[in-house]
Amino acid sequence: MSSRIRFICISTVICFSLIISRLFYIQIYQGAEYKEMAEKQTSKEIVLNTGRGAILDGNGVPFTGRKVSNKGIAVPAQITDKKLAAGVVSKLSGRDNVERILEESGDDILTFDVKDKELLKMIQDSLPHGVYIYHDKQRYTQNSLAQHIIGYINKNGTGMMGIEKDFDQDLGSSSKKVLRVYKDGSNRILPGMDAEFVNTGDDEGFNIRTTLNYSIQKATESAMDKFKVNGAVVIMDSSTGDVLAIASRPKFNQNNINTSLKKTDAPLINRAVNGYPPGSVFKTVVAAAAIEEGKVGPDDKFHCNGSIKVNNVTYDCYNKEEHGNINFEEAYAKSCNVAFIETGRRVGGEKILEMAKRFGFGEPEHIGININQNVHLPQENETTGAGIGNLSIGQGSLLVSPLQVADMTSVIANGGYRCKPRLVDAIVDDNGKVLRKVTKGEGYQVIEPEVAQNLCKMMRLAVSEGTGKNADVDGIVSGKTGTAEFNKGENISHSWFTGFFPYKKSNCVITVIAEGGGVGGKKAAEMFHYIAENIIKIS
């Protein structure tokens, strides 16, 4: 064989080998990609749901997608007997004028909710061609919990608030369910071919696991609805800083934000992180500073005749009650303004503000999501003269959130150590495997354990013998009431109670604020009692 023929044969073999290799590569390695491209050119995909990841409690119980409903799709271009199909769709959905809609829809589709479940059971195997039924998880229901933390998505499936917004990319990366219908060369839907349901994108879900406890959250929100108050409740585990429940009222409609935006009671404001005057719950900070600085002891005596004047400004005790001769512990338990203004004057504004900052007041809490927190500590120059009176009893320009008050209370229950609050734990897959942990801030010692023990004792006395009696449950609750003036002219006050239980080995902290609820020893303390009882039952 000549060298020329040999060259031609070898070249031919090489060419065929290259062609076969290329065909093998395209078919095996790029087959799925080319198949998808071909299907996109010859089909139309209708997104049925976003396949959004779930938002879970600490045990994996979902807050979103709890309700599964039957939904239907009618593809008019595939329907040959529109009168028959319209009758079926109308009976399943309860809608009118379905036949006219099908006639006028062209290549558009009609989606509908299946309301007659019994009828669906009877006819689901004999639906008219072009009518399809699928199961869909409803993202939110009317009774969805933790709304102000979870937030909401818009009609395009984009997170617009809370966890939905801050973790939008993670939650939105799960597979989407689509209905695929096939088209001819003229881009018209083929009437003879069945449509098919297809999942597109990643099969693995990306879910957000929070620190919340679904059962405790439900009990908390049930209590708020029972007492019919606007305000907030925050529940924390003092030993870890985990937020177990966080609720705000009024609620809003996650499925129809526009209606909520028109309301005058600002339902989208998360009152759990909103700033309020703390009233007497701030006396805990004043007491901590006084004890630590050695300015007052538990047996130090004060005399209260119902009011005190500071730089020509008169401050009254509640209802101008005269407490007479009382010691420091009794003054705390009975929430005596006179004694605490005297204490504040001994300690000074600088030390009180310093202690407040150590507890975390004055700065937003970093709990894993971005939330508006209008909190405020006064400047030191605001605490001189008559200003020390306001600071000592939690009034003036001072604004704290229920979350911050719960954080402060957790420090005392935890022996003076601050485990910074956290709400978001991790991003997990559908099997609960951790894909990414959400980091938490480092804790630190705020006050010495001995100071914390003194405050625990005083908080127990406030419940057993003082203003917080309505909060007690079987003698195990410690806490502090607060009455924060909101509208002095109309005598409107916000009602506070913050506390923990069990007294000797606490890990459950509850903070309640009831807007316009009056004195803290009534509405807020009663709510605390009700919630604590239910948590004990759950445990």
Side-chain angles (χ1 to χ4, degrees), residues 393-431:
I393 59 175
Q395 297 287 358
S397 66
L398 179 63
L399 293 175
V400 305
S401 71
L403 177 61
Q404 288 181 316
V405 174
D407 187 4
M408 173 199 75
T409 310
S410 292
V411 170
I412 297 160
N414 199 39
Y417 187 84
R418 185 185 183 204
C419 296
K420 289 186 177 180
R422 66 169 189 155
L423 178 72
V424 181
D425 176 40
I427 298 167
V428 299
D429 65 16
D430 290 336
N431 296 314

Side-chain angles (χ1 to χ4, degrees), residues 254-308:
Q254 290 168 295
N255 293 311
N256 190 344
I257 294 301
N258 288 333
T259 60
S260 299
L261 290 172
K262 294 175 184 177
K263 294 188 175 181
T264 58
D265 55 1
L268 268 73
I269 290 178
N270 185 352
R271 284 157 167 81
V273 296
N274 193 50
Y276 295 92
S280 292
V281 294
F282 194 75
K283 288 174 181 173
T284 306
V285 175
V286 178
I291 295 170
E292 183 174 272
E293 293 296 317
K295 300 296 184 181
V296 69
D299 297 322
D300 281 12
K301 294 289 191 294
F302 297 86
H303 180 76
C304 170
N305 60 6
S307 64
I308 185 173

Side-chain angles (χ1 to χ4, degrees), residues 176-225:
K176 297 173 175 59
K177 177 177 278 190
V178 303
L179 181 74
R180 181 175 288 162
V181 292
Y182 293 91
K183 304 178 294 185
D184 61 17
S186 300
N187 207 34
R188 293 173 301 189
I189 293 175
L190 291 169
M193 290 188 67
D194 286 334
E196 60 180 342
F197 294 104
V198 179
N199 288 326
T200 63
D202 296 329
D203 292 331
E204 201 68 61
F206 288 79
N207 311 297
I208 306 302
R209 188 172 70 198
T210 69
T211 62
L212 300 174
N213 180 294
Y214 187 89
S215 297
I216 294 177
Q217 182 74 33
K218 186 175 181 180
T220 300
E221 297 201 28
S222 295
M224 296 197 76
D225 294 337

Side-chain angles (χ1 to χ4, degrees), residues 116-132:
D116 194 332
K117 296 179 183 178
E118 294 303 318
L119 176 62
L120 177 62
K121 287 180 182 179
M122 295 171 58
I123 66 171
Q124 60 185 353
D125 294 328
S126 56
L127 291 168
H129 181 68
V131 177
Y132 306 92

Side-chain angles (χ1 to χ4, degrees), residues 85-87 89-90 93 95-103 110:
V89 171
S90 180
S93 66
R95 295 177 63 167
D96 297 325
N97 302 318
V98 176
E99 187 173 356
R100 178 181 60 78
I101 295 170
L102 294 180
E103 291 287 355
L110 170 66

